[in-house]
């Protein structure tokens, strides 16, 4: 795993970039060659940037966007520190559990920013990419956006609360259907399920999302932040305890033989042979 004590983002190693423009903190996933695939280092940088945004009075709203043809295609399995080791299965499970809990803390710093977050989603928004988008307060999708939680197809549990957030937004039936099957959603269906608020043509996505962020930024900051806190306090009251159970479930699946089989099958382009162990 990465060094979680670092507080710097070296030039050339950015996974995300923050630019402040006219009251909007533009947070960009900036690894288009990797389809903005996510890693432990991405999580560390998200937490650092969230702390910067939180106390910056010049940021009235946040626009979460991505460079390239995909928003985020999921976890980067090739990233350094991706695998957690241990002397036994139990020690590895414990290390994964604490690692995922650490990640949840970084995600919470982002999801609970006082400033509202508007996500602009294009192309693939898979696995953790979908979960990241669901952490935003408002989601706007391009017509070519594709959403999915494919973790079960790889032998894994959903580990960042995406299924729980879908249950909150679309209902438990849809959360189970999507997470249990790994099926993909197009933007129109995602809008119908209330998982995105607006759908725009690909060429209009950036302008549409910026316009919404600007509309929020133009309103009274204390009122805007009060609205976000009040809604979140009502909607997310049970989420913390649920996320803890999610971390434990994910840790157990990440150390399973089924997970190794799932990744191996994906790489070999064959159907996985899961044995429940």
């Amino acid at each position: 795993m990465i060094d979680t004590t670092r507080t710097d983002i070296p030039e050339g190693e950015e996974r995300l970039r923050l630019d402040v423009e006219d009251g909007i903190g533009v947070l960009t996933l900036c690894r288009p060659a990797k389809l903005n695939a996510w890693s432990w280092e991405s999580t560390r940088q998200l937490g650092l940037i969230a702390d910067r945004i939180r106390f910056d009075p010049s940021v009235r709203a946040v626009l979460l966007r991505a460079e390239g043809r995909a928003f985020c295609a999921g976890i980067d399995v090739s990233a350094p520190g991706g695998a957690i080791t241990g002397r036994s299965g139990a020690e590895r499970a414990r290390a994964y559990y604490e690692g995922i809990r650490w990640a949840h803390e970084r995600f919470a710093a982002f999801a609970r920013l006082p400033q509202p977050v508007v996500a602009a989603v294009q192309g693939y928004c898979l696995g953790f990419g979908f979960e990241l988008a669901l952490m935003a307060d408002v989601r706007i999708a391009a017509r070519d956006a594709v959403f999915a939680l494919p973790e079960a197809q790889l032998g894994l549990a959903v580990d960042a609360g995406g299924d729980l957030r879908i249950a909150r937004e679309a209902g438990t039936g849809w959360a189970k259907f999507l997470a249990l099957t790994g099926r993909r959603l197009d933007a129109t269906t995602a809008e119908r399920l209330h998982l995105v608020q607006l759908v725009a043509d690909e060429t209009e996505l950036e302008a549409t999302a910026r316009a919404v962020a600007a509309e929020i930024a133009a309103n009274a900051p204390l009122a805007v932040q009060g609205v976000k806190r009040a809604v979140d306090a009502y909607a997310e009251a049970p989420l913390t305890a649920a996320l803890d159970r999610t971390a434990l479930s994910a840790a157990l699946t990440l150390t399973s033989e089924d997970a190794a089989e799932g990744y191996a099958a994906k790489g070999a382009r064959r159907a996985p042979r899961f044995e429940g162990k």
Side-chain angles (χ1 to χ4, degrees):
M1 193 170 166
I2 65 166
D3 181 0
T4 59
T5 65
R6 288 177 56 190
T7 58
D8 65 316
I9 302 176
E11 186 175 353
E13 295 183 21
E14 298 92 348
R15 304 301 192 265
L16 303 103
R17 183 180 67 248
L18 176 65
D19 302 288
V20 179
E21 306 168 357
D22 300 322
I24 301 172
V26 181
L27 181 57
T28 302
L29 280 65
C30 56
R31 299 185 77 207
K34 290 279 191 178
L35 300 182
N36 298 309
W38 201 259
S39 64
W40 292 110
E41 176 61 16
S42 304
T43 298
R44 187 186 73 86
Q45 293 185 18
L46 180 68
L48 292 176
I49 293 173
D51 285 344
R52 295 175 189 173
I53 293 171
R54 179 180 183 178
F55 294 105
D56 188 344
S58 70
V59 177
R60 302 286 189 88
V62 176
L63 173 59
L64 175 64
R65 61 180 297 278
E67 294 178 346
R69 60 190 179 91
F71 178 76
C72 174
I75 295 296
D76 184 359
V77 296
S78 67
I84 291 180
T85 60
R87 295 169 297 175
S88 68
E91 186 175 64
R92 287 185 66 220
R94 182 265 178 198
Y96 264 119
Y97 177 52
E98 291 304 325
I100 296 165
R101 289 181 66 231
W102 169 85
H104 284 175
E105 292 162 5
R106 312 281 84 71
F107 301 150
F110 175 68
R112 296 174 187 168
L113 281 171
Q115 301 95 330
V117 178
V118 177
V121 179
Q122 80 277 9
Y124 290 125
C125 185
L126 309 179
F128 180 77
F130 194 5
E131 298 188 88
L132 178 63
L134 287 165
M135 294 177 202
D137 300 290
V138 177
R139 290 167 292 280
I140 300 171
R143 295 194 187 280
D144 70 343
V146 178
F147 302 88
L149 292 176
E151 284 86 346
Q153 297 175 343
L154 297 170
L156 305 174
V158 180
D159 63 0
D163 46 356
L164 307 181
R165 290 183 169 92
I166 291 173
R168 184 184 66 197
E169 302 282 354
T172 56
W174 277 107
K176 291 176 182 178
F177 179 72
L178 294 173
L180 293 174
T181 65
R183 285 200 188 188
R184 296 184 175 189
L185 291 179
D186 60 27
T188 301
T189 306
E191 182 184 33
R192 178 168 59 83
L193 297 179
H194 309 296
L195 298 175
V196 302
Q197 282 64 58
L198 294 174
V199 175
D201 290 335
E202 290 88 334
T203 57
E204 297 296 323
L205 175 64
E206 184 85 7
T208 301
R210 282 179 181 266
V212 171
E215 192 173 349
I216 294 170
N219 290 331
L222 294 180
V224 164
Q225 294 175 23
V227 168
K228 176 173 177 174
R229 281 194 300 271
V231 173
D232 286 351
Y234 170 76
E236 297 182 2
L239 190 59
T240 300
L243 281 171
D244 187 73
R245 298 300 303 173
T246 294
L248 180 58
S249 177
L252 292 173
T253 58
L254 282 162
T255 56
S256 71
E257 293 182 21
D258 278 353
E261 165 63 13
Y263 278 109
K266 188 75 171 179
R269 298 179 182 272
R270 61 171 174 80
R273 295 181 290 272
F274 296 132
E275 297 185 26
K277 61 180 182 179

